[in-house]
């Protein structure tokens, strides 16, 4: 051997291996330099991490809440007395409230307007009679005193226009009320009020409106105590249901 180095069967010489490694490093560096990295998705990564944390919290709390609810229900059931067939009626749904039935007020039956001939007598109940003209109204109470006539021309001006007044007479069966409306309207209904309850009176008029209209109402003694009706209320309506005159009910006098 002349002393020069010869490659053995185990591989290249160290100098050649170093050169191969250097060329490979340079090739990898050149290839890496041509690759442009994409933007870092920080927002998506952080959001995904937050959702995972929330999911873990919910997964932990749900079993705890379920256990607490089960304990509460068990405590209620344990404290409720039980019969042979289950919970006592105290746990049953409350019965619906019922209101006591109230009797409705009886309907008011309004009598028809009574159109009469001037001066013609007609019955007003319990033997009583009435007759009217354009200027007066006469009443016979069948008590033997005969006809009692009243001037309705209002010559003295005691009753103002668009007003109503009432007179009362006691008879064997109760109390009779005589009404007079004075005004330009034509009444269709008259009502007398006792203790807040309206009782219908019969309207009496002539075919030609004389400027006043009468009415009458009998209240039997079996219906109410007549002495309490010293000053009843009176209301007059026209055919359209409008109040055209009224007088307020007054309370009974003391001691009556």
């Amino acid at each position: 051997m002349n002393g020069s180095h010869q490659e053995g069967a185990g591989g290249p010489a160290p100098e050649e291996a170093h050169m191969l490694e250097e060329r490979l490093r340079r090739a990898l560096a050149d290839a890496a330099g041509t690759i442009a990295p994409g933007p870092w998705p920080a927002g998506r990564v952080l959001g995904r991490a937050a959702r995972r944390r929330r999911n873990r919290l919910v997964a932990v709390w749900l079993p705890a809440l379920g256990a607490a609810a089960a304990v509460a229900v068990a405590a209620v059931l344990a404290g409720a007395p039980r019969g042979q067939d289950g919970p006592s009626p105290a746990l049953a749904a409350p019965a619906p409230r019922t209101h006591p039935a109230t009797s409705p007020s009886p309907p008011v039956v309004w009598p028809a307007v009574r159109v009469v001939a001037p001066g013609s007598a007609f019955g007003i109940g319990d033997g009583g009679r009435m007759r009217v003209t354009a200027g007066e109204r006469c009443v016979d109470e069948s008590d033997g005193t005969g006809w009692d006539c009243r001037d309705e021309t209002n010559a003295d001006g005691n009753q103002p226009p668009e007003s109503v007044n009432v007179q009362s007479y006691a008879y064997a069966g109760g109390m009779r009320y005589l009404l007079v409306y004075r005004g330009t309207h034509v009444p269709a209904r008259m009502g007398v009020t006792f203790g807040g309850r309206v009782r219908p009176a019969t309207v009496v008029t002539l075919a030609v409106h004389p400027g006043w209209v009468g009415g009458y109402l009998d209240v039997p003694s079996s219906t109410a105590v007549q002495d309490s009706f010293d000053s009843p209320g009176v209301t007059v309506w026209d055919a359209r249901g409008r109040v055209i005159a009224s007088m307020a009910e007054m309370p009974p006098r003391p001691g009556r």
Side-chain angles (χ1 to χ4, degrees), residues 173-193:
M175 185 73 75
R176 175 166 295 145
Y177 296 90
L178 302 177
L179 318 174
V180 173
Y181 159 79
R182 187 172 304 283
T184 58
H185 298 282
V186 179
R189 291 178 178 177
M190 287 183 173
V192 182
T193 304

Side-chain angles (χ1 to χ4, degrees), residues 157-175:
N158 286 333
Q159 184 174 347
E162 310 305 333
S163 65
V164 62
N165 65 36
V166 59
Q167 292 176 302
S168 60
Y169 298 89
Y171 66 97
M175 185 73 75

Side-chain angles (χ1 to χ4, degrees), residues 53-181:
R53 285 195 299 272
R54 285 197 300 270
N55 292 339
R56 286 196 294 269
L57 290 175
V58 170
V60 170
W61 274 102
L62 283 178
L65 291 176
V71 170
V73 172
V76 172
L77 293 178
R82 300 178 65 87
Q84 295 180 354
D85 298 326
S88 68
L91 295 180
R97 292 184 178 180
T98 58
H99 299 281
T102 57
S103 300
S105 300
V108 178
V109 179
W110 297 96
V113 175
R114 193 167 188 174
V115 181
V116 298
S120 177
F122 55 92
I124 56 176
D126 196 51
R129 296 184 300 166
M130 180 185 292
R131 69 185 183 205
V132 298
T133 65
E136 71 176 2
R137 179 195 58 178
C138 300
V139 178
D140 179 8
E141 293 293 339
S142 68
D143 56 358
T145 59
W147 290 97
D148 179 17
C149 296
R150 174 179 172 176
D151 181 10
E152 297 295 354
T153 61
N154 199 34
D156 54 6
N158 286 333
Q159 184 174 347
E162 310 305 333
S163 65
V164 62
N165 65 36
V166 59
Q167 292 176 302
S168 60
Y169 298 89
Y171 66 97
M175 185 73 75
R176 175 166 295 145
Y177 296 90
L178 302 177
L179 318 174
V180 173
Y181 159 79

